[in-house]
Amino acid sequence: MFTLIANSEEETMAIAAQLAQLLDAKDVILLEGNLGAGKTTFTKGLAKGLGIDTVIKSPTYTLIREYTKGRLPLYHMDVYRLEDGGGDDLGFEEYLYGRGISVIEWAKFIEDELPDAYLTIRLVPKGEFFENREITFLPTGERYEALVETLKGILMKEGH
């Protein structure tokens, strides 16, 4: 586990872009945080780090947005609307075990579909006007433990 503070949206995106450099196909990122916590901002940074220059939008009403014009495809999922079930026929395994990176918001609603290893990123607004973000990286599995250690080294060297 590793926690840091991002002092702006730009810094949040820069941290995510740095993480994107370390990601490989089939990596799974779970984003946790309330509405307005910065989940889509973080995803924008991941996309930028992957070389995706398309406008990134929240997938709240579409469930899954696919961005394929980068180093790796990015599958951005918001499964909040599956709170009452109904995700069994959506083919999540095609994304989770495919050739891209899966970023999932509200993953607790599809826990049974998740792989054994993934990286959870918790975003919590901080500051008087909620302008800062506390970002916590919670790895599950050896791959993600090593990834977080590498990321931590890079970010500390950069002064985060």
Side-chain angles (χ1 to χ4, degrees):
M1 186 174 90
F2 155 55
T3 301
L4 55 81
I5 299 291
N7 296 309
S8 65
E9 280 192 9
E10 293 77 17
E11 195 171 339
T12 298
M13 289 176 59
I15 291 164
Q18 192 66 58
L19 171 61
Q21 301 298 310
L22 305 174
L23 296 176
D24 292 323
K26 298 184 178 87
D27 277 340
V28 176
I29 308 292
L30 311 183
L31 294 179
E32 293 182 352
N34 293 331
L35 292 174
K39 295 182 299 290
T40 299
T41 298
F42 196 90
T43 305
K44 288 177 183 179
L46 286 173
K48 184 176 181 182
L50 292 170
I52 299 169
D53 58 7
T54 307
V55 174
I56 305 298
K57 299 180 196 171
S58 175
T60 300
Y61 298 104
T62 57
L63 295 179
I64 302 170
R65 290 193 184 268
E66 297 181 31
Y67 303 97
T68 57
K69 303 233 184 307
R71 178 175 69 83
L72 291 166
L74 176 66
Y75 309 124
H76 186 194
M77 307 173 202
D78 182 335
V79 295
Y80 183 79
R81 294 171 60 104
L82 299 179
E83 180 178 16
D84 297 324
D88 296 341
D89 300 328
L90 292 176
F92 286 114
E93 61 280 344
E94 292 177 32
Y95 294 102
L96 298 175
Y97 303 103
R99 56 185 194 87
I101 295 164
S102 297
V103 175
I104 307 170
E105 299 182 25
W106 302 101
K108 66 182 180 182
F109 297 125
I110 61 163
E111 283 179 332
D112 294 344
E113 306 277 340
L114 297 176
D116 293 336
Y118 47 83
L119 175 60
T120 302
I121 300 171
R122 186 173 300 136
L123 298 137
V124 179
K126 297 286 183 184
E128 184 178 351
F129 301 105
F130 302 109
E131 66 277 12
N132 303 330
R133 297 283 176 273
E134 180 182 86
I135 305 172
T136 302
F137 298 87
L138 302 150
T140 300
E142 289 180 22
R143 154 109 179 103
Y144 297 101
E145 288 171 9
L147 188 144
V148 167
E149 281 304 309
T150 301
L151 179 65
K152 180 179 179 181
I154 291 167
L155 293 176
M156 292 304 187
K157 196 179 295 183
E158 292 180 352
H160 289 286

